Amino acid sequence: MQIDNSLKSFQKKMEETLSSLTKDLSTVRTGRAHTSMLDLIKVEVYGQLMPINQIGTISVSDPQTLTIQIWDNNNVKFCEKALRESDLNLNPIIDGQILRIPIPKLSEDRRKDLSKIVNQQSEKNKISIRNIRRSGMDFLKSQEKNKIISGDENKKLSNDLQKLTDEYIAKIDSKIREKEQEILKV
């Protein structure tokens, strides 16, 4: 049935929103080194902005240190500049073509700031889920108006869509709680 496929497409959009949140949360610094925290850093090289992971190999050398093996020696300074100017509060050390990036301990104030950032991301994604629900409800209303589905079917499918929305909002809340615990853990 076409309506069921449409509901599946709304569920797929909600799943994509949840995946986007997961990716965004992986870039939030928690005081431990992990390569995904540099995913959003762009470096201006060759006349364009490139993700730092396309300029060198990023690895975790110990729980408090990241290393980046820059492939082109000319790009070392550009990468260092991008890291220093990022909002991650990083201070890379140049060692030939390798950048060593000590990950400083998070202060209590910084932990609270990161927690607020995580909550803002949560709200942004919840709004996105609600917008998907609104699109779905509008779609169902138009289907009923065009006599493709009955009023009872519209009500049942609207309830299904609301349950789906509630499920994804709960998943977002769960991911946010996990990330906040990770950030606030001393």
Side-chain angles (χ1 to χ4, degrees):
M1 181 180 199
Q2 178 192 356
I3 305 297
D4 287 339
N5 288 338
S6 295
L7 286 181
K8 283 186 170 80
S9 75
F10 292 117
Q11 180 178 7
K12 184 177 183 214
K13 289 177 184 176
M14 289 181 185
E15 189 63 43
E16 288 168 359
T17 300
L18 188 64
S19 295
S20 172
L21 174 67
T22 303
K23 187 173 193 284
D24 289 347
L25 290 179
S26 73
T27 64
V28 175
R29 215 180 99 189
T30 59
R32 288 188 309 257
H34 57 87
T35 59
S36 62
M37 66 189 291
L38 302 179
D39 283 353
L40 297 180
I41 295 181
K42 305 275 192 239
V43 182
E44 189 171 344
V45 291
Y46 310 120
Q48 61 183 345
L49 286 175
M50 294 180 66
I52 198 163
N53 61 5
Q54 292 182 7
I55 298 168
T57 305
I58 303 171
S59 59
V60 178
S61 57
D62 65 61
Q64 294 303 123
T65 309
L66 286 172
T67 56
I68 305 174
Q69 173 69 47
I70 308 297
W71 299 319
D72 183 350
N73 196 31
N74 299 327
N75 294 334
V76 174
K77 287 284 188 197
F78 298 121
C79 290
E80 178 199 23
K81 180 181 177 205
L83 288 164
R84 286 187 195 281
E85 292 175 352
S86 73
D87 62 351
L88 295 176
N89 194 26
L90 299 175
N91 191 16
I93 301 163
I94 298 174
D95 183 11
Q97 280 186 250
I98 296 176
L99 288 177
R100 299 193 190 290
I101 309 162
I103 307 301
K105 297 276 187 207
L106 293 174
S107 67
E108 191 62 33
D109 288 340
R110 183 65 178 150
R111 288 178 191 275
K112 288 178 183 174
D113 289 344
L114 288 173
S115 182
K116 287 177 187 173
I117 290 168
V118 164
N119 281 313
Q120 289 170 351
Q121 289 177 333
S122 164
E123 195 53 41
K124 180 182 84 173
N125 282 277
K126 286 179 182 179
I127 289 169
S128 181
I129 294 288
R130 291 182 192 116
N131 287 338
I132 294 167
R133 178 195 60 203
R134 185 179 327 117
S135 296
M137 294 295 193
D138 291 346
F139 170 76
L140 291 173
K141 284 178 190 172
S142 73
Q143 296 299 304
E144 181 182 6
K145 184 179 175 185
N146 293 332
K147 308 255 188 258
I148 295 173
I149 61 173
S150 68
D152 289 341
E153 286 175 309
N154 181 10
K155 188 168 182 158
K156 181 204 176 297
L157 292 170
S158 294
N159 286 339
D160 290 347
L161 188 58
Q162 183 60 48
K163 286 177 188 172
L164 197 60
T165 301
D166 294 342
E167 176 186 327
Y168 277 91
I169 296 285
K171 287 179 181 182
I172 287 173
D173 287 339
S174 173
K175 287 194 177 294
I176 295 301
R177 271 193 304 277
E178 287 174 23
K179 192 64 175 186
E180 279 184 326
Q181 288 175 353
E182 189 179 331
I183 290 169
L184 297 174
K185 190 170 29 171
V186 178

